[in-house]
Amino acid sequence: MITRRMFHTRLLALIAASVVPFPKIAAAATGSPDKVWLNRLTFGATPEALAQFAEMGREGWLEWQLSLPPGDPDLDGMLAAARLRISYPAGSDEDGNSWEALDEMRPLSALTADPADLVRLLDWGPGKGMEFSERARPAQEVIAAAPIRAVHATAQLREVMTQFWHDHFNVASGKDESTAAFFPAYDAMLRGHAFGNFRTMLGDVARSPAMLYYLNNADSAASPANENYARELLELHTLGARNYLNDRYKAWREVPGAEAGQAEGYLDLDVYEVARAFTGWSVGDGRWLAEGEEAPRTGRFHHVARWHDPYQKRILGREFPPNRAPMEDGEEVLDILARHPATAAFVTEKIARRLVADDPDPALVQRLTGVFLAQAGAPDQIAQVIRALVLSPDFDTPPTKLRRPFEFLAAFYRAAGATVENPENAYHWQLSRAGWRQHDFGPPTGHPDRLAAWTGASSLNRLVDLALYGLDDWFATARADLAEPDSDGETGRAFLARHAARLAPAAADGIADELGVAFFGDTLDDPVAGVPAGDRQGAAQTALAFAALTPEFLFR
C-alpha cells in the first residue's frame, strides 16, 4: 500500500538536503548537460524536447527560441478553446443594483479584448451593478492561461522570461478591479518585450494602466505627488535597493557622480523629485478631471497636463528646467535610469540569478553589465544579454536552483505529457498554500528567487501535494492518460520505470523496485496489460510523484 507517509519520508530527505552544502545536493541533482540547459531555459525538459535539442544543437536551439514571436498558433488555439468557470450567488449592492445567481463556463475573451471595452468594469453607481467576480474576471483569465502557456508554449524561453519580468515589474492583479481589468494588456506587453529593449519596456511599464493603478500613480498630481511608483521605480525596477544611499549621504552633492550629472545612487530627495516628474501620468478611464472635463475611455495611458508639476527638478544630480514639453520630465528620468550602470548591474544580476544560481559570479555579472550598456539602443538588447549568459562557461554548472512552486507544477505536467485545461483556477489556491500567488503576489518585490525562500516546511510540504494530486480529477487543472502499456509485453516493473524516467531517469529503476510490489505484487514481472486500466493509471501517477520528489527533478 502506498501511503502519504512514504511521500513525507521523501520530503524529510529533501528538507535535510536543503541544509547540506550545495555540492552534495548538486551531485544528486545533476542530469545530462543538455537537460540542465533545458531545465533552466524552459518550464521543464521533456524527452521530446531533449531529442529536438540534440538535433538542433545548443546554439541552434537558443537562436530558434530567441527568434520565436509572442504569437503561437497552436497555443492561441488552446487558449481560444479553454473555458473558465465563473460562479456567484444572487446579490445586490448599495446603489440598488441586483444580479441573479450565475454558474457558467466562459471563454478567456479578456485575453484579446480591447482595453477600451473593459473600462465598463470600473463603473459603479445606479444602473451599473455587477458582482465583483465580473470586475475581476480579466485578471482571473490571465491566471488561468498561465499554466497552459507554461506547459504548452513552443516559445518556452519567452514564457520563462515573461514570468521573470512579471516578478521584476510586479503587479498584484487582484489588488482591485482597476488592476484586474487591465492586467491582460499588461501581461501581453511584458511577453512582447521579453527579449527586447529594456528602455522601451520600462516606458511601457510606466504607462501601463495596471502599473499606474497598482502603485497609485494614476491619481498622482502636483502638491503633493504620490511617491509609491517613484520609489519602486528606483528600488525595484532600475537602480536597486543597494544603491539607496540615504544612510550614507544627506545632501545630493555628496553622492559620488552627482555634481557631474549622474549620481551613483539615489536619496529620498531623488524619490520625491522623480515622483514630481511623473505627476499627470494617468489612465484614460473616464475619470472626472475638472468641471466639464473627463478623461477619455480608452483603457490606455492618458497624460493629464493640468496635474503635472512643471517646476524645476534635480534628479541624480541632473538639473531639469521648468515648463518643459508634456511628459518630458518623466521620459528623461526613464532615459537616465535605463542607461545607468547601476541599473545594468542590478537587472543582469537578477537575470543570472533566475537562470543560473542564487549568487552568480561577480565576473559574469560584470560581463553581462557591459553587454547591457553597450546594447542600450538595440531593439534586442535583452536577447543579447541572455545570449551572452547562456553561451558563457558559467552556464555549464550543476543545478542549484530549487524549482519554485509554479515552476515545479509546470515542469511536472510537461514531463508527464499532461494536457492543461484548468477550468476552475484551482491550481492558484493550491500554489498559494506554498507561498506562490501567480500574478497576484501582493508586495511589489515579486516572488523571491533564492532557494532559502522556498525551503520552509510549508512550501516543501505543498510540493508533495502537487506531485501526489496534480493529475487527479478533483485537482481540476490537467489530465494525462498514462494507463496504456508501451508494448504488449511491457512488465509492471518496466511500466513504473518508464513513467518515473520521464522526470528522473537516474532514479527510475529504484522507484520501480520501491513501488512494484505494492501495485503489482507477484505479477510485477508479468505483462502489465492484464492489470485494470484504473490501477495502471494510479501506479503511473504514483511513479511520477515519487520521481518529482527526487533532487534530479526538484533542482534546475
Side-chain angles (χ1 to χ4, degrees), residues 7 10 408 412 467 499-505 507-508 511 515 541-554:
F7 286 91
R10 289 180 172 273
F408 176 90
F412 179 74
H499 286 292
R502 292 187 67 91
L503 280 68
I511 290 171
L515 299 179
Q541 287 186 205
T542 305
L544 290 171
F546 266 56
L549 298 176
T550 62
E552 188 177 356
F553 183 79
L554 285 163

Side-chain angles (χ1 to χ4, degrees), residues 357-430:
D358 277 3
D359 296 298
D361 185 343
L364 170 65
V365 175
Q366 186 174 15
R367 292 197 301 275
L368 298 179
T369 297
V371 174
F372 186 99
L373 292 172
Q375 302 302 324
D380 63 341
Q381 176 192 18
I382 297 163
Q384 295 199 48
V385 170
I386 294 170
R387 186 181 292 111
L389 170 62
V390 173
L391 298 180
S392 163
D394 298 83
F395 201 72
D396 286 314
T397 57
T400 58
K401 296 286 292 185
L402 188 70
R403 281 184 164 126
R404 298 178 295 176
F406 180 80
E407 298 156 11
F408 176 90
L409 186 62
F412 179 74
Y413 286 150
R414 279 177 59 78
T419 299
V420 178
E421 296 171 336
N422 195 29
E424 307 279 355
N425 260 355
Y427 90 95
H428 187 53
W429 180 79
Q430 296 290 346

Side-chain angles (χ1 to χ4, degrees), residues 79-126:
L79 293 172
R83 296 293 183 271
L84 177 66
R85 183 180 301 279
I86 184 165
S87 178
Y88 49 81
S92 60
D93 63 24
E94 60 187 15
D95 293 308
N97 302 300
S98 61
W99 49 84
E100 299 294 326
L102 181 74
D103 184 6
E104 66 181 29
M105 305 298 291
R106 286 189 196 162
L108 308 184
S109 57
L111 297 184
T112 55
D114 187 319
D117 295 335
L118 302 176
V119 174
R120 61 183 176 78
L121 300 177
L122 279 56
D123 294 340
W124 297 79

Side-chain angles (χ1 to χ4, degrees), residues 483-492 495 520 526-532 536:
E484 287 302 308
D486 193 37
S487 66
D488 290 341
E490 185 177 42
T491 66
F495 177 83
F520 302 121
D526 294 341
V528 77
V531 176
R536 295 198 305 265

Side-chain angles (χ1 to χ4, degrees), residues 510-522:
I511 290 171
D513 291 341
E514 190 173 358
L515 299 179
V517 173
F519 277 104
F520 302 121
D522 295 339

